[in-house]
Amino acid sequence: MAVRRVVRTARVLANSARPTPLAASSLLPSRAIVSAAPRLSPASSRAFSTTPARLGGHVPPRADYKKVTEEDVAAFHSFLSSPSSLITTIPSSNGVWAAATKDDLVAYNNDWLEKYCGDSAVLLKPKTTEEVSKIMKYCYEQRIAIVPQGGNTGLVGGGTPVYDEVILSTEGMKEIREFDEVSGILTTDGGAILEVLSDYLHPKGYMMPLDLGAKGSCHIAGNVATNAGGLRLLRYGSLHGTVLGLEVVLPDANGTVMSVGMPGGNAGALRKDNTGYDLKQLFIGSEGTLGIITGVSILTPRLPNAVNVAVLCVPDFAAVQKVFKETRIALGEILSAFEFWDQEGHELVLHHTGQKPPFEGEPEGGKAFYVLVETSGSNGEHDEEKLGALLEHLLESEIISDGVLAQDETQFASLWSLRESLPEAAGKSGKVYKYDLSMPVKDMYSLVEEARERFDAAGLFKDGRIKETVGYGHIGDGNLHLNIIASAWDEEVEKVIEPWIYEATAKRHGSISAEHGLGVMKAPYLSYSKSDASIKVMQTLKEVFDPREILSPYKYLPPKSA
């Protein structure tokens, strides 16, 4: 049968025999992949370049916030239970704390892309919600600006200071508070690392509903604050649906701690609660502009008993769409991921990783598109039968030209790495202008093609300032990742890209940010995705929750005068 061709190719890829059943302890195989963001060690030991970098984005001049003094640092010191929770370059005249160097703060002042760089003199790492509340109350009184920071794995400058804002890191708050093994509801501190939560849940037969390349570094509060999407959104939905409760510290005169839908409250972590406004939704995706998330209650799904992965080769983007349609019909409820990438991205990954090509020979015409299909279900035999029937149909109908089907965990990881290594491979090739966009699926790749035509007409390929343009993403979510690889950060190159990229997205009735957020980078361009009336309501909400505008200034929303 035609499907045997798929299985045989997979065996060539990793020299495995028949599929091996997954052990109970590894029902969801760990992926040996390169992350979208580097898998950073604890922040205190991160190695960041000290080379001056471009600011990125367009921000107004520094507002009239109070500059932090020794007196302010003394107040912060008194709020914190551990001396290690305070790192500052401001010296203590009486030796109460030891002054740090600027190098000690580089990993917090700069983002991992070395694109957004701040100049904060104070880093605070509180260990409890009460400590955050005291800090917030004081900063409100003094009008000291604060930038909340999780794992600092963002891509739009949302988690680093623009000027000298105090950095409030959640990395000191990482306790798992409780887990209900009947309902699957997990409650944790906001600073818990996503991968740590996943490792905690797996032996209990559960998993986190989101999976990101930066899972080894990112914090759950940061995930919620940015409404992170990732690789599982097709199956498990967004955080607007899975987050049941939040604990948030508000930027007001009392440093108010607001608990909504958290265990032990008036209405605990419930899947159904129709009493009043659903306030937690305001903080999901607010990027730390309305409050600091210190606790999260989230619904976690059961681990699947069986996982299958196939990578398919198709001739063009029209075929990608056709495969997606056929896959949804054939696989239904077991479809858990559907990813695509182009030939340029494919070659980039193979060059970067040295990985053996999954298919023999060159694609017809030298170019193709690639699709990854993942299934997750409770019955391995049933799932394999459905996936096998789909692959046979796609081959016999000549919708796909070739395909590989993972036979074991090694192949599972190898196939996933073809997709998940893309951001790392791009980053190793130059400075990457990253654009995270959503739009109707039919329009996704036309934007990549239009970008290449624009850069070619501007002579940016010829003079080497742009080295490559790569398109990939989540077809199931209509989410395109456009990576423009440049030889260096270049204002002239950026002027060719922006605001054209946002105009082109708006023309396709899309959103300028699908999952990365707005931060510094996209705040001035919000009007390409939201109406004037919507922006005005958002600015009003900001004034209600943050009347002194101390949280994440210069970000997320355009200036009110704009």
Side-chain angles (χ1 to χ4, degrees):
M1 290 192 302
V3 71
R4 290 179 184 167
R5 175 179 164 200
V6 175
V7 174
R8 190 162 54 244
T9 312
R11 291 176 184 168
V12 170
L13 176 66
N15 299 316
S16 288
R18 293 180 58 80
T20 52
L22 300 175
S25 63
S26 59
L27 296 176
L28 191 70
S30 59
R31 298 175 186 162
I33 60 170
V34 182
S35 301
R39 298 172 68 82
L40 304 172
S41 56
S44 59
S45 60
R46 297 179 200 160
F48 278 69
S49 169
T50 55
T51 303
R54 61 189 284 279
L55 176 64
H58 308 279
V59 295
R62 185 188 185 280
D64 60 346
Y65 297 106
K66 180 182 180 183
K67 285 187 174 289
V68 179
T69 65
E70 181 185 350
E71 181 183 1
D72 299 318
V73 175
F76 295 143
H77 182 270
S78 71
F79 302 149
L80 300 168
S81 58
S82 171
S84 63
S85 295
L86 169 66
I87 300 176
T88 180
T89 57
I90 299 173
S92 168
S93 57
N94 55 9
V96 174
W97 63 85
T101 67
K102 280 202 168 189
D103 287 348
D104 294 324
L105 292 174
V106 167
Y108 300 88
N109 268 316
N110 297 359
D111 78 325
W112 68 277
L113 290 172
E114 300 179 7
K115 182 178 179 183
Y116 301 99
C117 303
D119 190 31
S120 178
V122 180
L123 167 67
L124 306 177
K125 299 189 285 185
K127 294 184 178 296
T128 67
T129 301
E130 182 183 6
E131 290 179 13
V132 176
S133 175
K134 290 177 180 178
I135 293 166
M136 194 79 92
K137 180 177 183 292
Y138 183 84
C139 288
Y140 177 89
E141 292 169 350
Q142 301 296 319
R143 199 165 185 254
I144 295 172
I146 306 173
V147 56
Q149 186 179 100
N152 198 13
T153 58
L155 295 162
V156 294
T160 50
V162 174
Y163 295 107
D164 56 354
E165 303 92 282
V166 168
I167 304 169
L168 192 150
S169 170
T170 55
E171 70 179 53
M173 306 175 64
K174 52 192 175 186
E175 297 299 316
I176 295 172
R177 300 183 186 181
E178 64 177 75
F179 178 64
D180 186 331
E181 295 198 31
V182 176
S183 66
I185 297 173
L186 172 71
T187 303
T188 178
D189 283 355
I193 293 173
L194 180 59
E195 189 170 50
V196 172
L197 297 178
S198 295
D199 291 344
Y200 170 82
L201 290 170
H202 283 192
K204 303 176 188 300
Y206 286 86
M207 60 188 278
M208 290 298 288
L210 73 161
D211 184 20
L212 308 173
K215 61 192 170 193
S217 306
C218 62
H219 298 184
I220 188 63
N223 299 150
V224 174
T226 56
N227 190 26
L231 302 165
R232 292 180 183 160
L233 191 140
L234 176 64
R235 175 70 176 271
Y236 301 110
S238 79
L239 292 172
H240 279 292
T242 54
V243 171
L244 302 181
L246 292 177
E247 178 184 84
V248 183
V249 179
L250 303 179
D252 60 20
N254 300 309
T256 301
V257 178
M258 185 176 73
S259 180
V260 180
M262 295 289 283
N266 292 342
L270 305 172
R271 295 192 68 179
K272 286 188 173 182
D273 176 15
N274 222 11
T275 54
Y277 299 117
D278 191 1
L279 295 176
K280 69 177 181 293
Q281 299 296 344
L282 291 175
F283 297 93
I284 300 172
S286 66
E287 299 182 38
T289 60
L290 301 180
I292 297 178
I293 297 171
T294 55
V296 177
S297 187
I298 189 168
L299 182 67
T300 65
R302 294 289 307 189
L303 271 171
N305 292 325
V307 180
N308 294 290
V309 174
V311 168
L312 314 176
C313 179
V314 300
D316 50 39
F317 191 69
V320 172
Q321 298 171 70
K322 191 174 292 186
V323 172
F324 180 52
K325 181 179 178 181
E326 296 290 336
T327 299
R328 294 183 73 186
I329 293 170
L331 301 182
E333 78 288 349
I334 66 171
L335 178 62
S336 54
F338 192 101
E339 303 287 308
F340 96 97
W341 59 97
D342 58 17
Q343 185 69 34
E344 290 78 3
H346 191 67
E347 292 176 0
L348 201 66
V349 167
L350 295 180
H351 175 75
H352 168 64
T353 64
Q355 188 170 340
K356 182 179 179 181
F359 306 110
E360 297 177 359
E362 293 293 322
E364 187 175 346
K367 290 208 171 187
F369 285 78
Y370 302 88
V371 167
L372 182 145
V373 177
E374 181 189 78
T375 66
S376 303
S378 59
N379 186 319
E381 186 176 340
H382 165 267
D383 296 354
E384 288 171 17
E385 182 179 343
K386 292 182 77 169
L387 182 57
L390 169 67
L391 296 177
E392 183 175 352
H393 163 67
L394 294 174
L395 279 166
E396 291 183 343
S397 304
E398 298 185 345
I399 298 173
I400 66 174
S401 56
D402 207 345
V404 294
L405 178 63
Q407 302 292 292
D408 54 33
E409 289 190 28
T410 300
Q411 290 181 1
F412 181 101
S414 181
L415 292 184
W416 258 112
S417 73
L418 292 171
R419 161 62 180 88
E420 289 198 306
S421 296
L422 270 162
E424 175 81 4
K428 294 292 184 181
S429 302
K431 299 299 184 182
V432 187
Y433 292 91
K434 291 177 176 285
Y435 294 91
D436 155 59
L437 313 161
S438 62
M439 63 196 68
V441 172
K442 65 182 177 63
D443 297 322
M444 287 172 66
Y445 204 72
S446 68
L447 192 144
V448 182
E449 294 170 329
E450 187 178 337
R452 290 182 181 136
E453 291 170 3
R454 181 177 178 84
F455 304 152
D456 188 40
L460 297 179
F461 288 130
K462 186 176 181 179
D463 65 18
R465 284 192 287 173
I466 289 184
K467 302 162 82 173
E468 189 58 272
T469 303
V470 175
Y472 62 93
H474 320 297
I475 287 289
D477 316 332
N479 184 183
L480 171 69
H481 292 292
L482 178 64
N483 280 201
I484 302 163
I485 305 169
S487 56
W489 299 126
D490 186 326
E491 287 188 10
E492 292 304 313
V493 169
E494 187 166 332
K495 287 176 182 177
V496 175
I497 302 172
E498 299 178 12
W500 165 81
I501 188 72
Y502 305 123
E503 294 168 352
T505 300
K507 184 175 70 176
R508 290 167 171 81
H509 307 288
S511 168
I512 66 170
S513 179
E515 59 184 2
H516 291 169
L518 296 168
V520 174
M521 177 179 174
K522 298 182 180 180
Y525 304 111
L526 185 56
S527 60
Y528 285 103
S529 292
K530 291 291 183 283
S531 68
D532 291 344
S534 295
I535 293 173
K536 186 175 181 180
V537 170
M538 293 181 199
Q539 290 171 332
T540 301
L541 283 171
K542 171 71 171 172
E543 291 172 0
V544 169
F545 280 93
D546 186 12
R548 305 202 76 183
E549 299 182 341
I550 61 172
L551 272 184
S552 293
Y554 323 108
K555 302 174 183 177
Y556 196 69
L557 296 173
K560 280 177 282 189
S561 58

